[in-house]
Amino acid sequence: MRHRVVLVRGPRATGGGGGGCCGGDVRPFDEGGGHCHTVVDDEVAPVYRALRSALPADVDVEIVSPTNWPFLLPELVGGGRRRGLRGLALARSVRAGIAVSSLVLDGAVLASGGLPAPDDAVALVEAQLSLR
């Protein structure tokens, strides 16, 4: 079975929501006219890099905006139902997963309202996947 880890990005103020192609401030003609910009590094980036480097290739690691409800709702509702959640418990799980700075594995919310440190995030996901 293919697994999916979803990192729900924090507030836009700390996310790389700039106008550049990579989300950074574009300075197109500096230093010889090449494509240069400042790389934005928020709390999600180190967690993403740690997860991507530690997990096998068949585990998808995705970063999602909390405003991407068309993606998040089916992911969280489907994951909750597969784990047997119904009613209020399912609603609580969905609400926790939609919160900014959440860590979700196959629809199960592992952290909500603040991402764990990169090594802790890897340990959480690996424990859930039973890779250790």
Side-chain angles (χ1 to χ4, degrees):
M1 177 181 167
R2 192 165 182 90
H3 299 282
R4 179 186 289 164
V5 176
V6 176
L7 297 167
V8 180
R9 184 179 289 282
R12 286 185 176 187
T14 59
C21 63
C22 303
D25 296 329
V26 176
R27 295 176 288 146
F29 299 111
D30 61 344
E31 300 175 7
H35 176 83
C36 297
H37 57 81
T38 304
V39 177
V40 177
D41 200 15
D42 59 6
E43 69 174 339
V44 176
V47 174
Y48 174 84
R49 287 190 295 266
L51 288 168
R52 187 63 279 157
S53 66
L55 298 174
D58 66 336
V59 178
D60 291 332
V61 182
E62 301 177 9
I63 300 174
V64 178
S65 167
T67 60
N68 191 350
W69 289 45
F71 173 83
L72 284 172
L73 282 178
E75 176 76 10
L76 293 165
V77 170
R81 286 186 175 163
R82 282 191 297 275
R83 291 180 295 118
L85 298 179
R86 300 288 186 267
L88 191 56
L90 179 60
R92 285 184 183 140
S93 176
V94 169
R95 183 176 175 167
I98 288 176
V100 296
S101 300
S102 297
L103 173 62
V104 179
L105 172 64
D106 295 333
V109 181
L110 303 181
S112 178
L115 289 174
D119 291 340
D120 295 338
V122 170
L124 271 172
V125 172
E126 285 182 335
Q128 292 295 316
L129 292 174
S130 299
L131 294 178
R132 289 187 170 185

